[in-house]
Amino acid sequence: MGLGDLKKADLKNIWHPFSPLGGREPLMVKKAKGVYLYTPDGRKIIDAISSWWVNIHGHAHPKIAKAVGKQAKRLEQVIFAGFTHEPAARLSKTLMRILPKNQGKIFFSDDGSTSVEVALKLAIQYWHNQGIQRKEIIAIEGAYHGDTFGSMSIGDRGVFSMPFFDYLFEVKFVPFPEGDGQNAINAMKEIVSENTAAFIFEPLVQGASGMRMYSADVLDNLIGLVQEKGGICIADEVMTGFGRTGKTFATDYLQNVPDIYCMSKGITGGFLPMGVTSASKSIVEAFDEDVAAKTFFHGHSYTANPLACAAANASMSLLLKKKTQDNIRRISSKHQEFLSDFEQPDFVADVRSQGTILAIEIAADDAGYVSKIKEKIYDFFLAKDLLVRPLGNVIYLIPPYIITNEELDLIYEAINDFMEVLKSK
Ligand SMILES: Cc1ncc(COP(=O)(O)O)c(C=O)c1O
């Protein structure tokens, strides 16, 4: 099939995610290597957002590719009820080593949304298994936890979920922490009670709502208030996990330890989809009986797919290498250097960074995911062969850890150029 035919087939048959039908034509990618995406017409585009935040080691890392290839020849898939395999067992050991000591077991699923669904179901069934009436779920305003009905219910009631409002379950929201976070802490004091089943949050950085950042102190306070009442705290580390915020998990900055962790995205380094939910030993105990009524009846056809587990094992082994940890520190300080030199024009509402994440928020009357400036930003950077896909009026970088200082400088330069364009308007 020639390129023209491929494009035609795509346009005719494929419904792309988060993309209006009849909108822009997708760019065909022929191959990818390191931080670069290659198009059939010879373009070489820097993937500054790790392809929706997953390719933490860049694209086609040879160590992960080799591990997946080797595994494909040995065992590509096996039912995970009543059976197990080496890559899954090995991955469980690594995850248990890097997660806090209170964690007891991991549960596999398919992506970020399902890791959140599993977390919610575990938390709810934890109370059910003990015959305890606790019904309320608390989340933070502006949250994004995925696109399934459960994960939409605990997310922002906004443009993503608007058609489904009537079908979402009731959740209590605390406001996003502003400044010293007292607004959220005070609201939590009002809301939390002995009826609180669980509190779920994106630790330190709310991703999809525009890389909005808040302090570890505030989150510690919120978790403390919930745990004082015996509620379960769920850290959605789908975006923040595996080094993104500077530490292995964003919650590693906290004093209080969450009870459940949701993981996905970087876990396989972008090779294969995988979700993982881990639960504390005390949560596991409430399920620890050989009776149907207490069983966690949840699973997916591809649960713990051996290829995905092999990719995850290779990705985790790369993550824990000194070189990767040095790169994470290097990117974090490069971002901070850039921001300290950045002369913030008055049309920039805020600049912020946390670990390898950098965000520049353009002031806009229509601030939010569907802000009109989004397309302008996207086109400007893409014309410079940089994949920077803004969250509405928020330009952000979340690059693969292998990105060089020179490549980062290119992107920073483009950000400065964009500021000049806005100034001249
Ligand atoms: C914090 C968080 N949770 C969950 C999800 C959903 O993950 P997925 O898109 O893999 O379903 C995302 C995706 O961006 C996310 O950022």
Side-chain angles (χ1 to χ4, degrees), residues 87 140 271 282 284:
I140 300 183
F271 270 68
S282 55
V284 173

Side-chain angles (χ1 to χ4, degrees), residues 53 111-113 116 144-146 202 236 238-239 264-265:
W53 325 341
D111 48 44
S113 303
V116 167
Y144 177 75
H145 295 286
E202 294 161 88
D236 178 352
V238 166
M239 191 274 287
S264 185
K265 296 223 183 250

Side-chain angles (χ1 to χ4, degrees), residues 102-105 126 130 232 259 279-288:
N102 71 336
Q103 295 299 287
K105 275 190 191 293
Y126 168 76
Q130 299 172 88
I232 292 173
D259 307 285
S280 69
K281 290 172 190 139
S282 55
I283 290 176
V284 173
E285 259 174 39
F287 293 77
D288 202 2

